[in-house]
Amino acid sequence: MVVQKFGGTSVADPDAVRRLIEIARAPRARDGRGPVVVVSALSGVTDTLLAIAAEAGAARADQALAHVGRLRERHLAMARALAGDGALAALTSQIDAQFDELTAVVCALAVLREVSLRTLDVIAAMGELLSSRIVAAALVHAGLPAEWVDARRAIVTNDDHTRAAPLMRETTAALRALVVPLVADGRVPVLGGFIGATAEGHTTTLGRGGSDYSGAIVGAGIDAGEIQIWTDVDGMLTADPRIIPQPRLVPRLSFAEAAELAYFGAKVLHPSTIHPAVERNIPVRILNSRKPGGAGTLITAEPNPDGHELTAMAAKRDLTVVDITSSRMLMAYGFLRRVFEVFERFRTAVDVVTTSEVSVSVTVDDRRHLDSIVEALSEFAEVSIEGEMALLCAVGDRLRAEPEIAARVVRVLEEMPLRMISQAASRRNITVIMRQTDLPHAMHRLHEEFFG
Ligand code: ADP
Ligand code: ASP
Ligand code: MG
């Protein structure tokens, strides 16, 4: 049985959903059951919902409501194009009820002038609640026995709103109760990705791009044979196609490589997607919903058999480098503990760390608590920060055994000032930090050298 996750562009309009329907028929024809379908919000909708929340919180209710009106129209038009006549009235009233709720929330926020993370999740979750209902109705109209499942009942998370983590034991129990019986009964369960709820029933979201993660959580929870991520590119590419115009398709990846690439910025996979698949050893495939016949990228536990020196590269922008220098000159025992305790206290993850005798440099992505972090670090160290930095990460299983490859990566970038260089124990990646303005040139140089 297969779990198929469709991203925003793969459900963006009626034609995209028609392609989805044909894609969902294929595993059913082969396996005689399934698939389980997980969908993102229609493309752009999550961004708009977050903009609506921000406008409402800033008391710009008119602007927010104008956006709400346009979103409502877009979803109703999708429903009219895709649902059967018999089901349209019910679907329309569900969509209207969702937008009436959104309107009420916007009006309340405009008065309160404050948006809590919990409320933000209620608003952000509406995109997937709507798209999943529309897709379920479209599948039914196309003759597939689809059944909408409320993902807030199936994915149980902690209460870390806007970046909640699933509680796998509870989630697996919920999936076994809600989704597995539907599959056994020959149905096609359809869930919204990205969303869940706490055990108390408060709506949560898994972080931007989190529908991939939902697809993998569902796959692991129901012991799927494969998790398919349907998107708008042919698979994992050797580099971000928004920076490198003609990257190559990577046909095979190991779980370890995929996890590194996703963590270090390959947007095609949410950073946590691979973990549930690893737990149950379920293959993940990335596929292009516009070219359903393509082979895509297959990700499994096996080391990448393709044998290229590097497998792919990834990049992250908008990083800040924090340099922390011990004021006692020599790096005292316990210094690193104190440094990282500060990042922990402010719940800020660091991506890359390098050290010298007297200083530590780290990169952070999340700037929300940066001022407080600098203040706390300044109590025992000299601190300076530098923004607009970028990370470039080259990944490949062969880096482990062949140190020459890492040396070549650094040599290719030699005319660029590299702020930090790091290779950790897994030695599956080499990561460099540079000024953001140097990133495109650096990526071109590396891509030309290793994939040109
Ligand atoms: P979806 O809405 O289907 O989840 P996303 O926009 O989240 O799609 O992810 C797909 C996008 O990821 C691609 O359109 C591409 O621009 C970007 N991307 C960045 N790095 C890579 C990479 N190495 N391989 C493939 N796509 C990448
Ligand atoms: N709709 C959510 C987002 O845009 C989740 C996703 O598409 O994966 O972040
Ligand atoms: Mg995505």
Side-chain angles (χ1 to χ4, degrees):
M1 228 273 308
V2 176
V3 174
Q4 297 185 318
K5 176 267 171 176
F6 294 87
T9 47
S10 304
V11 292
D13 51 37
D15 281 341
V17 175
R18 288 186 195 108
R19 287 191 291 270
L20 175 158
I21 291 166
E22 296 316 310
I23 291 168
R25 281 192 211 280
R28 190 169 178 78
R30 195 186 56 227
D31 305 347
R33 61 201 185 112
V36 176
V37 173
V38 175
V39 294
S40 288
L42 313 188
S43 75
V45 167
T46 309
D47 286 338
T48 308
L49 288 167
L50 295 175
I52 287 169
E55 283 162 357
R60 293 195 298 271
D62 290 350
Q63 268 152 284
L65 291 174
H67 270 126
V68 174
R70 283 194 289 275
L71 273 190
R72 187 193 294 250
E73 265 324 303
R74 181 173 171 199
H75 285 86
L76 289 173
M78 284 281 279
R80 286 192 295 272
L82 292 164
D85 288 342
L88 184 59
L91 180 59
T92 301
S93 74
Q94 283 156 354
I95 294 172
D96 275 327
Q98 191 75 78
F99 279 103
D100 292 347
E101 188 187 330
L102 178 56
T103 302
V105 174
V106 164
C107 294
L109 292 178
V111 175
L112 296 171
R113 294 190 173 212
E114 185 193 307
V115 190
S116 68
L117 294 182
R118 196 199 275 188
T119 307
L120 206 55
D121 272 350
V122 169
I123 295 175
M126 290 187 186
E128 270 73 7
L129 289 173
L130 289 158
S131 65
S132 56
R133 287 220 188 250
I134 292 170
V135 167
L139 285 162
V140 169
H141 186 46
L144 285 147
E147 189 97 29
W148 181 73
V149 175
D150 188 341
R152 295 168 299 186
R153 294 179 58 212
I155 310 281
V156 186
T157 73
N158 67 10
D159 65 356
D160 195 1
H161 285 281
T162 74
R163 48 177 183 182
L167 306 175
M168 274 320 276
R169 202 162 41 85
E170 290 83 342
T171 299
T172 302
L175 288 166
R176 294 211 171 125
L178 291 171
V179 173
V180 171
L182 290 176
V183 175
D185 198 29
R187 297 180 170 273
V188 178
V190 181
L191 297 84
F194 179 53
I195 66 179
T198 63
E200 295 74 37
H202 294 296
T203 300
T204 53
T205 63
L206 305 177
R208 294 307 307 271
S211 292
D212 302 329
Y213 194 17
S214 301
I217 294 165
V218 171
I222 67 169
D223 247 324
E226 182 169 298
I227 297 161
Q228 299 180 345
I229 307 288
W230 290 89
T231 182
D232 61 355
V233 283
D234 290 349
M236 180 66 78
L237 304 171
T238 49
D240 189 332
R242 293 164 299 181
I243 301 179
I244 300 291
Q246 303 263 286
R248 297 185 180 193
L249 174 66
V250 182
R252 290 290 308 266
L253 275 176
S254 65
F255 282 143
E257 289 175 321
E260 301 268 7
L261 287 165
Y263 181 76
F264 286 114
K267 189 190 171 218
V268 69
L269 280 184
H270 177 278
S272 303
T273 311
I274 292 300
H275 302 152
V278 171
E279 294 275 291
R280 301 276 168 126
N281 195 17
I282 303 172
V284 177
R285 223 182 262 276
I286 309 175
L287 295 146
N288 188 339
S289 64
R290 286 180 177 276
K291 299 188 212 159
T297 297
L298 175 63
I299 311 170
T300 63
E302 278 81 59
N304 190 339
D306 290 336
H308 292 294
E309 292 166 305
L310 289 183
T311 301
M313 48 208 232
K316 256 181 167 179
R317 295 166 189 266
D318 293 324
L319 299 182
T320 302
V321 173
V322 184
D323 293 314
I324 306 138
T325 304
S326 166
S327 27
R328 277 188 250 142
M329 284 315 285
L330 287 175
M331 180 101 81
Y333 177 72
F335 179 67
L336 286 177
R337 183 190 53 72
R338 293 184 75 186
V339 167
F340 288 111
E341 185 276 324
V342 170
F343 288 93
E344 185 186 349
R345 188 167 358 128
F346 293 99
R347 301 176 81 170
T348 298
V350 306
D351 286 327
V352 180
V353 184
T354 57
T355 67
S356 74
E357 188 199 4
V358 293
S359 67
V360 188
S361 301
V362 305
T363 66
V364 297
D365 185 353
D366 174 1
R367 297 179 58 98
R368 280 179 295 182
H369 303 294
L370 202 54
D371 290 344
S372 313
I373 289 170
V374 169
E375 197 185 312
L377 291 170
S378 300
E379 283 169 20
F380 59 91
E382 279 165 36
V383 186
S384 66
I385 62 171
E386 191 174 356
E388 290 174 28
M389 304 298 281
L391 169 162
L392 174 51
C393 174
V395 173
D397 283 336
R398 274 179 63 182
L399 276 163
R400 285 164 77 81
E402 298 167 55
E404 170 55 23
I405 301 174
R408 242 172 81 212
V409 168
V410 176
R411 215 176 309 128
V412 168
L413 301 175
E414 73 192 348
E415 87 261 31
M416 260 160 266
L418 300 182
R419 188 67 160 63
M420 294 160 67
I421 301 177
S422 147
Q423 189 175 37
S426 84
R427 286 187 289 130
R428 228 173 244 110
N429 81 55
I430 171 149
T431 302
V432 296
I433 307 293
M434 62 188 70
R435 284 195 308 256
Q436 193 151 288
T437 44
D438 291 334
L439 178 67
H441 182 53
M443 284 198 84
H444 278 99
R445 294 273 297 126
L446 261 192
H447 201 267
E448 183 57 33
E449 171 80 10
F450 287 93
F451 307 100

